[in-house]
Amino acid sequence: MSQGIPRISLTNTQIKGVLFDLDGTLADTAPDLVYALNLALNDHEFASVPYEQVFHSASHGSLAMVHAARPELTDTLKAKIQQRLLFHYRNNLGVKSVLFQGMTELLSTLDNKGLPFGIVTNKHAQFCRPLMDAMGLTPRLKSIISGDSTAHSKPHTAPMLLAAQQLSCRPQEILYLGDAERDLLAAQAANMQGGIALWGYISQNDDITSWPSDYQFAHPLEVSQLWD
């Protein structure tokens, strides 16, 4: 499938809803996560790590962040640090997290067009929902699907299809935006249109040319152009 080009000739009305991945797509949550990671490392008498070393791993979960910080540690110790990371993260939800530049305008465009939108994330509800509350987004989201909302998380289709039901859209009418391979695999499996959020936490080791996608977007405002 060609990158950055629709697989079909779309009109504005053929995308009737939009779903977002959370970390690295809808919101820049890495500052909170890296802060919690460094507190957890300090708890175990390890030095803090630079933001630039680990922020790309934020889309892959807390354990991936611990591994990015201290890959040489045993799995047992990584798991202990992960639990401390989650403890500190829970106590600092939304302190440093913000919408990506241009996302406020994109959400306003969707509101103005009457297009429902929501999130499908692998972040568990105990973190996801308070974060959405803290960012003032909960009332605007027609669907909030967390990693534990269904029996399976992305790239399984279960959370994707539940979100489609909540948006009252057919899967093929939904654009799903994400910044990780599993996001695009999930969109493909659910028969949604997949868009790569190039503004997200994509590392130099990610081969995005191998990800199944209908679009690549360098900036949230480019998404709005679908309805121009």
Side-chain angles (χ1 to χ4, degrees):
M1 187 177 301
S2 297
Q3 299 298 314
I5 301 174
R7 58 185 166 193
I8 57 176
S9 179
L10 290 172
T11 66
N12 298 353
T13 57
Q14 287 177 303
I15 296 177
K16 298 182 179 179
V18 178
L19 291 169
F20 299 88
D21 174 48
L22 176 51
D23 301 300
T25 301
L26 179 68
D28 186 5
T29 58
D32 280 338
L33 288 162
V34 175
Y35 177 70
L37 169 65
N38 280 327
L39 289 177
L41 289 170
N42 298 162
D43 288 344
H44 285 81
E45 300 185 348
F46 293 110
S48 299
V49 294
Y51 178 85
E52 292 74 16
Q53 178 181 334
V54 296
F55 85 95
H56 285 115
S57 62
S59 286
H60 303 292
S62 55
L63 188 58
M65 296 192 71
V66 175
H67 179 75
R70 303 296 305 226
E72 77 283 3
L73 300 181
T74 65
D75 290 344
T76 299
L77 185 49
K78 286 178 185 175
K80 290 180 179 179
I81 296 173
Q82 178 194 25
Q83 291 307 307
R84 290 301 292 173
L85 185 164
L86 294 175
F87 168 79
H88 289 301
Y89 184 56
R90 187 180 297 110
N91 291 328
N92 293 278
L93 277 169
V95 174
K96 299 176 182 292
S97 294
V98 296
L99 292 177
F100 280 102
Q101 184 180 19
M103 188 58 67
T104 296
E105 292 83 353
L106 171 57
L107 298 184
S108 293
T109 294
L110 297 178
D111 279 332
N112 292 336
K113 297 290 185 180
L115 298 171
F117 56 89
I119 62 170
V120 181
T121 176
N122 281 357
K123 187 190 292 292
H124 281 199
Q126 64 174 315
F127 304 109
C128 172
R129 289 186 174 273
L131 177 57
M132 294 298 92
D133 289 343
M135 298 185 71
L137 291 174
T138 300
R140 301 176 67 187
L141 295 166
K142 302 303 182 184
S143 178
I144 302 177
I145 304 300
S146 306
D148 50 353
S149 294
T150 64
H152 303 281
S153 56
K154 294 179 299 183
H156 199 276
T157 59
M160 308 291 284
L161 297 178
L162 177 57
Q165 290 179 353
Q166 294 183 353
L167 262 58
S168 299
C169 295
R170 294 182 300 169
Q172 60 266 35
E173 297 172 337
I174 294 173
L175 171 65
Y176 184 73
L177 295 168
D179 69 321
E181 183 179 21
R182 67 175 169 275
D183 297 327
L184 282 302
L185 291 172
Q188 181 187 53
N191 199 28
M192 294 181 185
Q193 299 173 49
I196 302 176
L198 295 175
W199 62 83
Y201 304 145
I202 298 173
S203 75
Q204 294 181 345
N205 296 325
D206 287 321
D207 180 15
I208 64 172
T209 62
S210 68
W211 299 0
S213 66
D214 302 286
Y215 303 92
Q216 292 183 17
F217 299 104
H219 192 279
L221 293 180
E222 289 186 2
V223 183
S224 300
Q225 295 174 4
L226 290 173
W227 295 279
D228 286 346

